[in-house]
Amino acid sequence: MVVIMQLRNSSARYGLISMLLHWGIALAVYAMFGLGLWMVTLSYYDGWYHQAPELHKSIGIVLMMGLVIRVIWRHISRPPSAPKSHSTLTRVTAAGAHIALYSILFAIFISGYLISTADGKPISVFGLFDVPATLSDAGSQADLAGQIHLWLAWSVVILSALHGLAALKHHFIDKDDTLKRMLGRSSVDSGA
């Protein structure tokens, strides 16, 4: 049986837009984490010394716009309710983890913005448009925001890895639809 992917979420599974936003942002966050770790190891004489941070900033702005769209979409197309087999603790923990992930991601973007605009210059996004610098105090702002940015980046990677492990636990141990729903499937699709 061919299942045509719906755009909006249903009570049984996530729709195509939610899945693309979820997996796209997850992939971009891990790519940005790797890029960030790599670019701080570059020496001044490396060809990527100036290009990598510009790429990181541009992707960061696009990623922030994607996250804003994701939050808005989450209110337009409500996610499916948690499976009835989930305990109250599981539901509360999942909700708390989602709030923490969104909050940390927004804090990463804010700290990245403060690092990037500490010298008072706007952020050029792939040369297409600029995001203006609104706050700037070069030395102390960049240093403090840089430390916060690093700790938040590690936090979101660790928390998202736990989020992924929890989804795998639900799939392989609990044998429920938690992971299937974010893959566009549910037991309703297979007739189970």
Side-chain angles (χ1 to χ4, degrees), residues 61-84:
I61 295 295
V62 172
L63 187 54
M64 185 186 73
M65 293 182 332
L67 187 64
V68 168
I69 290 167
R70 180 156 184 211
V71 169
I72 291 169
W73 182 251
R74 191 173 170 94
H75 289 288
I76 292 171
S77 182
R78 291 279 183 199
S81 299
K84 292 180 176 153

Side-chain angles (χ1 to χ4, degrees), residues 9-43:
N9 300 335
S10 71
S11 61
R13 65 177 174 264
Y14 289 91
L16 182 61
I17 293 173
S18 293
M19 288 187 301
L20 290 174
L21 288 168
H22 176 270
W23 295 111
I25 288 172
L27 180 64
V29 165
Y30 277 90
M32 287 289 282
F33 182 73
L35 176 60
L37 290 179
W38 172 70
M39 73 183 195
V40 297
T41 67
L42 298 173
S43 73

Side-chain angles (χ1 to χ4, degrees), residues 8-167:
R8 294 178 62 101
N9 300 335
S10 71
S11 61
R13 65 177 174 264
Y14 289 91
L16 182 61
I17 293 173
S18 293
M19 288 187 301
L20 290 174
L21 288 168
H22 176 270
W23 295 111
I25 288 172
L27 180 64
V29 165
Y30 277 90
M32 287 289 282
F33 182 73
L35 176 60
L37 290 179
W38 172 70
M39 73 183 195
V40 297
T41 67
L42 298 173
S43 73
Y44 181 78
Y45 299 103
D46 192 298
W48 280 93
Y49 182 77
H50 293 290
Q51 293 172 335
E54 294 306 314
L55 181 62
H56 191 80
K57 292 175 200 177
S58 291
I59 295 171
I61 295 295
V62 172
L63 187 54
M64 185 186 73
M65 293 182 332
L67 187 64
V68 168
I69 290 167
R70 180 156 184 211
V71 169
I72 291 169
W73 182 251
R74 191 173 170 94
H75 289 288
I76 292 171
S77 182
R78 291 279 183 199
S81 299
K84 292 180 176 153
S85 61
H86 288 186
S87 68
T88 302
L89 178 61
T90 299
R91 291 170 192 248
V92 169
T93 304
H98 281 103
I99 291 169
L101 282 167
Y102 285 120
S103 299
I104 293 169
L105 283 170
F106 278 115
I108 288 171
F109 297 132
I110 292 167
S111 62
Y113 171 81
L114 292 173
I115 296 165
S116 302
T117 59
D119 60 1
K121 295 178 186 169
I123 300 169
S124 174
V125 181
F126 297 113
L128 300 173
F129 63 93
D130 289 342
V131 175
T134 54
L135 303 170
S136 58
D137 179 17
S140 61
Q141 177 177 315
D143 292 341
L144 177 60
Q147 288 298 315
I148 292 169
H149 194 72
L150 176 65
W151 284 104
L152 290 172
W154 275 104
S155 298
V156 82
V157 165
I158 291 168
L159 186 56
S160 65
L162 292 172
H163 173 70
L165 289 172

